[in-house]
Amino acid sequence: MQTFTDIHQHLLWGMDDGADSPDVMYSMLREAHRQGIDAVVATPHAEPGFRPFDMGMYTERLTEAQNFCNSEKLGIRVLPGAEIVWTYQTPLALRQGKVPTIGGTDYVLLELWRNIAWHAARDAVNQLTRAGFCPVLAHPERYTAFVLSPKETVRFRNETGAMLQISSASLLNPRHFAQKRFVRYLLNEHAVDVVATDAHNCSNRPVNLGDTYN
């Protein structure tokens, strides 16, 4: 059976706009199992410099999710992580361990501003790289400059070393023609490094990695 790792899920209840109750979190984990996912990186939103990341609650919820998987014999590892928005406080917060990296590695799931300019995107990636981290850009198909210039996006990836994470929903049901063209171009150029769900619930933003693969 094909198995998957999902590096982008908002499954920890009560931490952001993802799962809003234990039952929703449990349902997302059951669906992850059904979809063939055997490792999930729990990635609540983190905004260094804007609001403190509640590491105590995070650790508690992470343990709760893993205990549920163990008790249900789902065979899923729940790993630490966060979807970290870029601010000038982000490198320091990462160095001080105030926000979690992907699975405790040097890889960071980085969210850029939707209307970020190319020079600001390069600066963000370069600052994180100089700090010793490997940025994985969450859903670049939502960033205006990127989606309007697929060729420049591939050049950006190759020159900066940033990895690109496309959301599975953008493959299954692109929001508009430009996004569809963008994703197709990146696939043809072998520039999609990771596909992840960015799941928030079991309804309008569901766990669908297996569906995407099929």
Side-chain angles (χ1 to χ4, degrees), residues 10 15-16 43-54 81-87 90 93-94 98-100 109-111:
H10 298 263
M15 291 211 68
D16 61 3
T43 55
H45 292 287
E47 301 169 315
F50 287 97
R51 62 183 179 93
F53 187 81
D54 192 335
E83 183 180 11
I84 306 168
V85 70
W86 168 252
T87 73
T90 298
L94 284 162
K98 292 183 177 180
V99 287
L109 185 64
L110 181 67
E111 181 179 26

Side-chain angles (χ1 to χ4, degrees), residues 53-73:
F53 187 81
D54 192 335
M55 192 64 78
M57 178 184 287
Y58 179 77
T59 302
E60 181 181 310
R61 296 287 195 269
L62 200 69
T63 300
E64 181 182 349
Q66 187 62 71
N67 288 342
F68 174 79
C69 291
N70 295 344
S71 66
E72 295 280 311
K73 296 181 171 56

Side-chain angles (χ1 to χ4, degrees), residues 112-134:
L112 300 179
W113 322 313
R114 292 197 180 220
N115 292 320
I116 195 168
W118 283 112
H119 73 275
R122 286 180 179 274
D123 182 55
V125 168
N126 289 338
Q127 285 201 45
L128 282 187
T129 301
R130 286 196 297 269
F133 299 97
C134 304

Side-chain angles (χ1 to χ4, degrees), residues 28 49 78 80 95 98 112 114 116 124 136 140-141 155 157 159 188 202 211:
M28 290 174 69
V78 184
R95 286 197 300 267
K98 292 183 177 180
L112 300 179
R114 292 197 180 220
I116 195 168
V136 181
E141 71 273 19
R155 186 179 301 114
R157 169 186 177 270
E159 291 177 355
N188 289 338
C202 291
D211 293 340

Side-chain angles (χ1 to χ4, degrees), residues 51-213:
R51 62 183 179 93
F53 187 81
D54 192 335
M55 192 64 78
M57 178 184 287
Y58 179 77
T59 302
E60 181 181 310
R61 296 287 195 269
L62 200 69
T63 300
E64 181 182 349
Q66 187 62 71
N67 288 342
F68 174 79
C69 291
N70 295 344
S71 66
E72 295 280 311
K73 296 181 171 56
L74 299 181
I76 294 176
R77 292 177 298 136
V78 184
L79 304 173
E83 183 180 11
I84 306 168
V85 70
W86 168 252
T87 73
Y88 287 106
Q89 298 295 319
T90 298
L92 180 62
L94 284 162
R95 286 197 300 267
Q96 294 179 342
K98 292 183 177 180
V99 287
T101 60
I102 297 174
T105 68
D106 294 332
Y107 290 87
V108 175
L109 185 64
L110 181 67
E111 181 179 26
L112 300 179
W113 322 313
R114 292 197 180 220
N115 292 320
I116 195 168
W118 283 112
H119 73 275
R122 286 180 179 274
D123 182 55
V125 168
N126 289 338
Q127 285 201 45
L128 282 187
T129 301
R130 286 196 297 269
F133 299 97
C134 304
V136 181
L137 298 190
H139 43 63
E141 71 273 19
R142 298 184 197 173
Y143 308 146
T144 302
F146 285 60
V147 79
L148 293 179
S149 186
K151 291 182 180 180
E152 182 63 25
T153 300
V154 174
R155 186 179 301 114
F156 175 90
R157 169 186 177 270
N158 294 340
E159 291 177 355
T160 65
M163 299 175 67
L164 304 180
Q165 176 259 299
I166 299 297
S167 295
S168 50
S170 301
L171 291 167
L172 290 170
N173 188 27
R175 296 182 180 185
H176 44 72
F177 175 77
Q179 188 176 88
K180 181 177 182 179
R181 182 191 63 174
F182 175 83
V183 172
R184 180 180 297 169
Y185 183 86
L186 262 61
L187 287 170
N188 289 338
E189 294 295 314
H190 305 287
V192 175
D193 298 290
V194 186
V195 175
T197 64
D198 190 12
H200 281 60
N201 49 50
C202 291
S203 53
N204 62 316
R205 300 183 71 176
V207 180
N208 54 4
L209 202 54
D211 293 340
T212 306
Y213 178 82

